[in-house]
Amino acid sequence: MITLNYLILGLTYLGFGLGYLPGLRMNRAAIAIVGSAFAVALGILDLKTAWEAIDPSTIIFLLGMMVINSTLEASGFFQLALEFLTRFTRSPFGILVAVTFGSGILSAFFLNDTTAMLLAPLTLTLTRSLSLNPLPYLLALAGGTNLGSVATISGNPQNILVGSFSGISYWEFSRTLAPVALICLVVQVIWLWWLYPEVRSCKSLPAVSQVRYRLFKPLLAKSLLVTAGLLVAFLAGAPLAESAWIAASILLITRRVKSDRILQRVDWNLLVMFAGLFIVTKAVQQLGLLDNLTNLTGTPLSLLGTTVILSNLISNVPAVLVLQSLIPKTDTQAWLLLAAGSTLAGNLTLLGSVANLIVAEIAEKAGDRLTFKEHLRFGLPLTFVTLGIAYFWI
């Protein structure tokens, strides 16, 4: 029975790392459901304990941010933002800077996966219209969303987890990690400038027609107003989950856009995966499998190294859930290292973060392949440099 327990949990984490299980058509959400169900079926947990393992603050915060992102997407905000950023430059290097910092800034306030999903098609259209090699700009987008999301608690799912478990305020988190994100974005621009000589030109390219899109101005105004109010609430120290939930509910009160359209854009798979992950992690704790990790997280350097390794083996969200139980709630430095390490590790390989995979998948569908080797050439040095920056800063 013990062997069977270990086998089920091992297969579950293998699925989280790969994003699928060989021979089966299961995504991470399905793997989380099955893994958590087997944990109950095998008697590792009872149903009551499994239900209580799900952290409601994390789920509500994530749901609220998704509704806000969906509303902004429906209003045309992300298309408008990219157009605004590229309006002032048409040079290869200027566009590289705009894509890097634009994706980074948007990811700091909204979920990085959403930013990658919405900006990847726009980036491809822009580079094709200017006859530019799309690869460095796709890498800038993938890397920028990961690096920029380091800056705030709302930047990515693993930061949301850290915020929920640690109790660190939005302002304290951003005050420490926003400079790290900014420095890392600068490093990325320099690295891409060195890797791809064709992006070094500052000479303006011929003007092209702008990408057409639909803008819902009343919804855009309302969305921006509510989002600004939410950020003020975060910075003022208001409870994160409750604030995001209230903001999302205000945006759902509308006569212009059907709520179905907003809710259909919510990543329900991610919410289900989170719920299942909480249960699976509780099962791992019940079996005492985390006891051996205590010695690997005793110092800041060992904690960062363990975080990076686990994030690339089983993905960053499961890594944070596994390691959070080993960190004292009052150890702010350790929590910040966990957030930074799990996020920056996403640039190591193409499989390191969902944002990378989203960009690669959209590019491949459009006929531009971002290979594992090409991403590794970009991501490996960038990851080690940015991790070093984060370690010494924190």
Side-chain angles (χ1 to χ4, degrees):
M1 182 62 72
I2 293 176
T3 302
L4 184 58
N5 290 341
Y6 290 169
L7 177 62
I8 293 298
L9 292 174
L11 287 173
T12 301
Y13 279 105
L14 174 65
F16 289 147
L18 295 176
Y20 65 94
L21 284 173
L24 299 174
R25 302 183 69 176
M26 299 169 66
N27 61 7
R28 285 187 172 95
I31 292 166
I33 292 173
V34 173
S36 58
F38 271 95
V40 173
L42 294 172
I44 304 173
L45 305 169
D46 57 39
L47 187 58
K48 185 174 184 292
T49 304
W51 179 257
E52 291 174 346
I54 301 172
D55 183 60
S57 295
T58 301
I59 300 296
I60 290 297
F61 187 19
L62 194 56
L63 174 59
M65 293 306 300
M66 285 180 178
V67 171
I68 292 167
N69 288 352
S70 298
T71 309
L72 287 167
E73 179 191 352
S75 71
F77 167 75
F78 290 97
Q79 295 91 330
L80 181 65
L82 185 61
E83 180 188 321
F84 175 80
L85 290 168
T86 55
R87 183 179 297 172
F88 305 104
T89 178
R90 290 197 309 274
S91 69
F93 182 70
I95 293 172
L96 179 73
V97 173
V99 171
T100 296
F101 282 91
S103 61
I105 292 169
L106 289 173
S107 295
F109 297 105
F110 312 105
L111 294 173
N112 61 336
D113 297 346
T114 300
T115 302
M117 186 177 299
L118 296 174
L119 293 191
L122 300 175
T123 302
L124 281 168
T125 302
L126 178 65
T127 53
R128 284 178 172 178
S129 65
L130 295 172
S131 300
L132 295 172
N133 175 15
L135 283 181
Y137 301 97
L138 291 172
L139 289 171
L141 174 61
T145 56
N146 290 324
L147 297 177
S149 70
V150 171
T152 67
I153 287 177
S154 58
N156 57 54
Q158 58 269 23
N159 285 3
I160 291 175
L161 284 172
V162 169
S164 296
F165 290 129
S166 67
I168 298 173
S169 71
Y170 198 93
W171 166 247
E172 185 179 4
F173 190 100
S174 299
R175 183 182 62 184
T176 304
L177 290 183
V180 173
L182 182 60
I183 295 169
C184 291
L185 288 170
V186 173
V187 170
Q188 175 177 289
V189 169
I190 296 171
W191 180 230
L192 285 170
W193 180 90
W194 190 87
L195 275 180
Y196 295 93
E198 65 263 38
V199 307
R200 299 175 187 175
S201 174
C202 294
K203 184 179 178 180
S204 291
L205 298 168
V208 294
S209 58
Q210 293 291 336
V211 179
R212 299 184 65 182
Y213 58 91
R214 191 173 182 183
L215 198 64
F216 293 90
K217 292 183 180 180
L219 183 61
L220 176 63
K222 179 183 178 182
S223 302
L224 291 177
L225 183 62
V226 171
T227 303
L230 178 63
L231 293 176
V232 170
F234 285 163
L235 294 174
L240 299 178
E242 289 88 335
S243 300
W245 195 11
I246 292 170
S249 67
I250 292 172
L251 289 176
L252 287 172
I253 303 172
T254 174
R255 293 183 297 110
R256 297 179 180 274
V257 179
K258 290 183 178 181
S259 57
D260 288 356
R261 182 176 177 185
I262 302 301
L263 295 175
Q264 283 172 359
R265 288 179 163 89
V266 170
D267 191 348
W268 299 105
N269 278 334
L270 184 60
L271 293 174
V272 170
M273 187 193 80
F274 261 74
L277 269 173
F278 280 119
I279 297 171
V280 171
T281 305
K282 184 67 175 179
V284 170
Q285 292 173 348
Q286 291 285 95
L287 291 175
L289 298 179
L290 301 184
D291 297 344
N292 295 329
L293 287 178
T294 305
N295 296 330
L296 300 177
T297 58
T299 66
L301 187 59
S302 63
L303 172 61
L304 185 63
T306 303
T307 301
V308 172
I309 293 170
L310 275 182
S311 294
N312 278 277
L313 286 178
I314 63 175
S315 190
N316 42 28
V317 170
V320 169
L321 278 173
V322 166
L323 295 174
Q324 57 86 18
S325 62
L326 307 177
I327 301 175
K329 190 169 184 177
T330 56
D331 193 346
T332 300
Q333 182 190 59
W335 285 112
L336 293 173
L337 279 173
L338 178 62
S342 61
T343 301
L344 296 175
N347 280 331
L348 184 61
T349 71
L350 186 62
L351 305 177
S353 79
V354 175
N356 296 347
L357 295 172
I358 288 171
V359 172
E361 183 178 350
I362 291 174
E364 188 166 0
K365 287 180 180 177
D368 293 293
R369 192 163 179 238
L370 178 58
T371 64
F372 185 91
K373 181 179 179 182
E374 188 78 16
H375 187 279
L376 187 65
R377 175 172 169 256
F378 156 77
L380 183 63
L382 179 67
T383 300
F384 283 106
V385 171
T386 54
L387 284 170
I389 293 169
Y391 176 77
F392 287 108
W393 186 274
I394 297 171

